[in-house]
Amino acid sequence: MIHQNQIRLEKQIAPDVPQFLADSIQLQRVLEHLITNAMNHNLPGINLAIQVEKAENEMKCTISDNGIGIPPDQCNLLFDKPFLRGSQNHHRTGLGLGLFLCKQVITAHQGRIGVNCEGKGANFWFTLPLG
């Protein structure tokens, strides 16, 4: 999908991020959903950046794009309200459960998840405790 949508993907994984215990299948689903979401809610050709870093006693993963962004009034609802779909996406094919389920997975790992909607594009992030 990345090639098909002409996405420019940049990955930055800090060398000081240690290994940690987590359900790798569920975390892969979270990452896949956040990346797919960026592709589905934007036009082809966006820049997509994935950054993983250590921040104090947690790992932080950020998925950023330079797409159309998210209306600020929807940002606070994205993870807490099932069946919420983006109002700017005219191709609405999903059920609106993905971000809600992402929050369930991250919360089950004692982490946090959120989105920054200021400026252009979207900046989704999640944290997981280390140790």
Side-chain angles (χ1 to χ4, degrees):
M1 281 182 70
I2 290 173
H3 180 70
Q4 180 182 0
N5 285 290
Q6 304 163 356
I7 305 297
R8 182 174 171 260
L9 179 63
E10 179 182 339
K11 298 178 279 186
Q12 297 177 346
I13 301 174
D16 64 339
V17 177
Q19 291 186 355
F20 53 93
L21 292 175
D23 184 331
S24 61
I25 293 172
Q26 293 301 324
L27 290 182
Q28 181 177 339
R29 287 181 179 162
V30 169
L31 284 169
E32 286 175 356
H33 181 77
L34 294 175
I35 293 167
T36 302
N37 224 29
M39 289 188 286
N40 288 340
H41 290 276
N42 290 295
L43 296 173
I46 63 165
N47 294 329
L48 188 61
I50 301 169
Q51 182 178 13
V52 180
E53 61 188 337
K54 182 180 176 192
E56 295 194 21
N57 292 328
E58 57 187 15
M59 180 278 305
K60 182 174 185 180
C61 180
T62 307
I63 295 96
S64 305
D65 68 63
N66 66 340
I68 60 173
I70 302 168
D73 61 326
Q74 289 185 9
C75 284
N76 295 332
L77 305 173
L78 289 176
F79 297 99
D80 297 326
K81 195 169 184 180
F83 307 111
L84 179 69
R85 295 183 296 183
S87 63
Q88 295 184 8
N89 182 7
H90 304 292
H91 310 294
R92 299 179 185 168
T93 58
L95 294 174
L97 286 173
L99 293 175
F100 177 78
L101 294 174
C102 286
K103 182 176 182 178
Q104 303 307 306
V105 169
I106 298 302
T107 301
H109 284 84
Q110 285 85 45
R112 298 174 292 125
I113 189 167
V115 62
N116 300 327
C117 301
E118 300 170 8
K120 190 172 182 173
N123 183 5
F124 285 86
W125 57 268
F126 65 87
T127 63
L128 297 172
L130 296 172

